[in-house]
Amino acid sequence: MTARATAGARRHRLRPARILLYVMVTLLAFAWLVPIVGAIIASFRPYAETIRAGAFSWPHTLTLDNYRNAWSQGDIPHKYLNTAVILFPALVFTLFFSSMVAFVTSRYSWRFNVLLLSLFTAGNLLPQQIIIQPLFQFYNRVPLPEFLSNSGKLNGSVWGLILIHVAFQSGFCTFVLSNYMKLLPKSLNDAARIDGAGVWKQYWQIILPLTLPALAALATLEFTWIYNDFFWAVVLEQQGADRPITSSLANLGGQFFTDDNLIAAASMFVALPTLIVYLALQRYFIAGLTIGAEKG
Amino acid sequence: MATAADIGTPTTQAQSQLKSLTGAKAGRLQQFEGHDRWVVLAMLGIPTFLHVALVWIPTVASILLSFTDWKGIRISDIQWVGLRNYEQIFTVFQKSFFQALINNSVLLVFLFIGPTTLGILLAYLLDRDIRGTRFYQGIFFTPVVLSLAVVGFIWKSVIYSTDSGLATQLFGGGHSIDWLGNQSFVIPIGDRFGVSANFLAILVAIAWRHTGYIMVLYLAGLKSVDSSLREAAMLDGSTEWQTFRHVVFPSLKPINVVIVVITVIEALRAFDIIYVLKTPRKTEVLSILTTNNLLGEGGGNVGRGSAYATILFILCFGFVIWYVTNHFRNTQEGADS
């Protein structure tokens, strides 16, 4: 109450400074919107008009042609499907696996707990390019039956991408979830144990339901991260047609999309799912980032 | 604070109860009985196996392969060549290697003095009861949800388009500007290296995304600062800067550590935006050199690619170890007190 009152008093005293602050932040926010708003406008304009008047001009003609062309030339629906087939299994298994490790290491005393958590945390921080050469060679040597992989190998199959996403992302998720689970009262386990509940029951029926807020936050964040993956898919799925949507940008550029407005429309197709998830689930998104950081 | 590291130092009532239940077996797998032992082994074993097999074993393999010559065809062709790959990188491939090293370093320094500082400043400003603060936060954070590959595409088509881009219109005075193709050095380093104009253009696009990321992390940190401390310092006549410098900033050490690590790792990881723009000349970074030895024209050079990867590993591993030990030491101290 008093804090608010003094803050109010100061606000009066610092009036000009405060106006300056508003002006600065507003100008900066405008600048920040320019690329996205620019891309949205460009994507609805005929390229000829942009060429004539420049991107920084009032749009006179609005058209869906760029979207129509990007959709068919870039084979966007197929690319969305490729993404979904990888994204959802990867997301579920990442959360499932990391919640199991987080549960055991945070709810029981075991001498290798810290070592195990360090391993996961450190693994997640490595740049992906460090492991790509051996990983690629390994994937190339694991045969898969025809009905599981067009290439007949782990390399170039959705399975290879799902596996590396789960392996890599479980580092971050284990770290966050173990931090979260540690804060749940220890007595929960003991009470359950005295009631005769086994380890699995304690995990699945007692701790996991209490971890749902953290899981929801992580799911939102991991959705975006796995969706946004470019590197793994560029290297481990070299068939352009089978690539998920984000990584397909690597070959869409020169091949199909020659004009800037078409590129802008294609970019909007790629950006749209993450923007929707962000706008709908903003709270979870930011919670996911911050439980990771606060405890770190 | 109850944390992972307090395991083994039972202090709370619940834990002593646990100890009496499990006796001397605490800390060992024998604390679990029969069926449960297998359940625990599977719960830890499967995820750990996957993580180690696909992340840590390839890391070690990269280091080992960096001392070999191998085209990636038959395993039996692998030839031990000692330090030859490194020698070549420092001599024959000096030009691209040093340019990449310079670019990674410039990116790192730039991320700290540009977007990281701006992100912290924005967080500090938006943390007050400013009107519409959620709205502003939303705007600055939006680019963070986009992949850097998409960021590259958006900037290429809207801002840096040679003839009709926004930047061209603003600065070109009616002429076209080849923003992403201009490889002349803006800041020369020696007579063969430097920071090229097109790399600077890419840096600006990266900053657009990085600033919001840092802002959100810092906002979370600021919420945990006791506001009465800040009020007290202000009432004592400290200026805004003094309050931040001596009260707020030091109390945010954990978040500062996170930001340092994230920024270093991001600077070393940078790949997507450069690759999606077809790696304009003079914009190569270490991650691109590693990958070019796999996908590029001279691809399939596992030995040299791994040597680049190992250099990347050496550069980042110190920070990773620092972060992990720092984190787990802090939680240990928390448990002991």
Side-chain angles (χ1 to χ4, degrees):
Chain A
M1 204 53 199
T2 45
R4 269 212 181 267
T6 44
R10 199 171 58 244
R11 197 180 317 157
H12 272 286
R13 244 186 306 136
L14 293 177
R15 198 108 223 189
R18 206 155 172 93
I19 290 169
L20 190 69
L21 170 74
Y22 271 109
V23 171
M24 264 168 46
V25 173
T26 308
L27 282 179
L28 209 54
F30 265 113
W32 236 252
L33 281 174
V34 165
I36 284 197
V37 173
I40 294 172
I41 294 173
S43 67
F44 285 108
R45 287 178 93 176
Y47 189 49
E49 190 186 296
T50 308
I51 284 282
R52 199 176 56 240
F56 195 61
S57 59
W58 189 255
H60 290 286
T61 330
L62 293 179
T63 164
L64 282 173
D65 280 355
N66 294 318
Y67 283 98
R68 220 170 280 135
N69 291 339
W71 182 261
S72 57
Q73 286 172 36
D75 202 7
I76 301 291
H78 185 207
K79 300 282 158 55
Y80 275 145
L81 193 69
N82 291 343
T83 293
V85 167
I86 293 162
L87 172 58
F88 292 107
L91 190 60
V92 169
F93 276 99
T94 300
L95 294 179
F96 181 52
F97 280 9
S98 33
S99 65
M100 289 198 297
V101 177
F103 167 75
V104 177
T105 52
S106 63
R107 307 301 296 176
Y108 297 100
S109 61
W110 185 45
R111 24 184 191 163
F112 298 116
N113 278 341
V114 174
L115 180 73
L116 206 57
L117 286 174
S118 305
L119 197 71
F120 275 94
T121 310
N124 169 257
L125 290 172
L126 297 176
Q128 294 95 316
Q129 292 81 13
I130 288 176
I131 64 175
I132 197 62
Q133 291 273 4
L135 191 71
F136 179 84
Q137 298 300 338
F138 170 65
Y139 271 24
N140 239 349
R141 284 169 176 73
V142 179
L144 282 184
E146 196 97 344
F147 67 96
L148 287 178
S149 159
N150 288 333
S151 59
K153 291 182 291 194
L154 194 53
N155 199 351
S157 73
V158 294
W159 308 101
L161 286 173
I162 293 172
L163 281 176
I164 190 61
H165 280 307
V166 174
F168 206 77
Q169 298 299 338
S170 60
F172 177 76
C173 294
T174 303
F175 175 73
V176 171
L177 288 173
S178 74
N179 284 337
Y180 191 89
M181 288 183 186
K182 267 176 237 162
L183 302 176
L184 302 173
K186 273 257 182 319
S187 51
L188 283 171
N189 283 56
D190 298 327
R193 195 197 314 244
I194 288 159
D195 285 348
V199 169
W200 182 258
K201 209 168 176 185
Q202 291 175 37
Y203 160 72
W204 191 253
Q205 294 190 353
I206 296 169
I207 300 301
L208 209 55
L210 293 172
T211 314
L212 278 181
L215 286 172
L218 277 178
T220 315
L221 199 60
E222 288 291 338
F223 174 96
T224 313
W225 284 353
I226 298 174
Y227 180 94
N228 280 346
D229 164 58
F230 180 78
F231 179 70
W232 295 127
V234 160
V235 179
L236 301 172
E237 175 55 85
Q238 293 184 25
Q239 287 296 321
D242 293 337
R243 277 186 179 162
I245 189 153
T246 305
S247 57
S248 67
L249 287 175
N251 42 318
L252 283 181
Q255 245 173 303
F256 301 103
F257 297 150
T258 41
D259 82 59
D260 291 329
N261 293 5
L262 206 52
I263 291 180
S267 305
M268 293 320 295
F269 275 129
V270 181
L272 209 57
T274 52
L275 287 176
I276 291 172
V277 165
Y278 167 59
L279 290 177
L281 303 170
Q282 190 169 4
R283 205 159 44 88
Y284 292 106
F285 201 102
I286 290 177
L289 271 182
T290 47
I291 30 177
E294 267 173 350
K295 298 266 80 196
Chain B
M1 185 164 50
T3 54
D6 65 3
I7 286 154
T9 55
T11 46
T12 66
Q13 200 187 344
Q15 277 172 318
S16 46
Q17 210 178 333
L18 178 83
K19 199 175 181 191
S20 67
L21 277 169
T22 53
K25 293 169 189 160
R28 297 164 184 271
L29 272 184
Q30 281 79 20
Q31 66 184 288
F32 303 104
E33 281 162 16
H35 178 65
D36 271 355
R37 201 174 298 167
W38 294 108
V39 174
V40 167
L41 269 180
M43 287 174 83
L44 290 177
I46 298 169
T48 308
F49 172 79
L50 189 69
H51 184 73
V52 170
L54 295 186
V55 176
W56 287 105
I57 291 179
T59 303
V60 175
S62 254
I63 297 171
L64 294 177
L65 284 169
S66 75
F67 300 110
T68 68
D69 181 32
W70 189 34
K71 297 275 170 246
I73 317 283
R74 276 197 312 269
I75 304 258
S76 58
D77 291 344
I78 301 181
Q79 253 192 343
W80 191 264
V81 295
L83 290 170
R84 202 180 75 194
N85 290 316
Y86 294 97
E87 264 168 51
Q88 288 182 341
I89 287 174
F90 279 94
T91 54
V92 190
F93 301 103
Q94 197 190 49
K95 207 166 171 211
S96 54
F97 173 62
F98 285 154
Q99 188 58 55
L101 215 52
I102 287 171
N103 284 346
N104 276 113
S105 318
V106 168
L107 174 57
L108 178 63
V109 172
F110 171 79
L111 285 181
F112 273 115
I113 56 178
T116 301
T117 311
L118 183 60
I120 291 175
L121 181 71
L122 279 174
Y124 193 68
L125 294 179
L126 293 175
D127 187 44
R128 287 61 192 316
D129 50 344
I130 224 178
R131 198 169 302 160
T133 175
R134 313 271 317 157
F135 180 69
Y136 287 118
Q137 287 175 31
I139 289 176
F140 291 117
F141 192 70
T142 305
V144 184
V145 307
L146 303 177
S147 152
L148 263 177
V150 176
V151 171
F153 256 44
I154 288 180
W155 280 69
K156 174 185 152 161
S157 63
V158 179
I159 311 286
Y160 292 143
S161 179
T162 313
D163 298 310
S164 56
L166 288 174
T168 310
Q169 271 186 289
L170 276 178
F171 302 105
H175 302 284
S176 54
I177 304 179
D178 190 4
W179 293 96
L180 295 170
N182 182 359
Q183 39 173 300
S184 60
F185 292 132
V186 177
I187 309 166
I189 301 172
D191 41 334
R192 288 161 64 214
F193 303 104
V195 187
S196 63
N198 49 6
F199 191 66
L200 285 178
I202 291 176
L203 289 183
V204 175
I206 294 177
W208 182 59
R209 184 172 180 274
H210 198 71
T211 304
Y213 192 17
I214 300 298
M215 180 199 73
V216 162
L217 293 179
Y218 224 77
L219 271 169
L222 285 172
K223 286 212 173 34
S224 66
V225 175
D226 191 353
S227 64
S228 60
L229 274 178
R230 197 151 78 184
E231 293 293 336
M234 297 292 271
L235 286 177
D236 280 352
S238 299
T239 64
E240 194 88 29
W241 169 246
Q242 284 168 332
T243 312
F244 179 76
R245 174 74 188 75
H246 298 291
V247 179
V248 179
F249 193 73
S251 69
L252 286 174
K253 193 190 164 222
I255 211 88
N256 291 334
V257 170
V258 171
I259 285 175
V260 168
V261 171
I262 283 178
T263 306
V264 170
I265 300 294
E266 289 278 308
L268 291 172
R269 254 183 202 174
F271 176 87
D272 300 8
I273 188 167
I274 297 166
Y275 191 85
V276 87
L277 296 172
K278 309 266 179 234
T279 320
R281 283 175 61 92
K282 307 287 183 219
T283 67
E284 58 267 64
V285 286
L286 288 172
S287 61
I288 297 272
L289 297 185
T290 306
T291 315
N292 276 351
N293 277 288
L294 199 152
L295 299 176
E297 280 163 36
N301 201 326
V302 181
R304 200 188 312 136
S306 299
Y308 284 122
T310 305
I311 293 170
L312 205 51
F313 177 76
I314 293 168
L315 291 177
C316 78
F317 203 59
F319 286 94
V320 173
I321 294 284
W322 174 65
Y323 174 69
V324 171
T325 51
N326 199 55
H327 174 79
F328 289 108
R329 191 175 350 100
N330 281 351
T331 53
Q332 181 76 60
E333 279 162 12
D336 290 344
S337 59

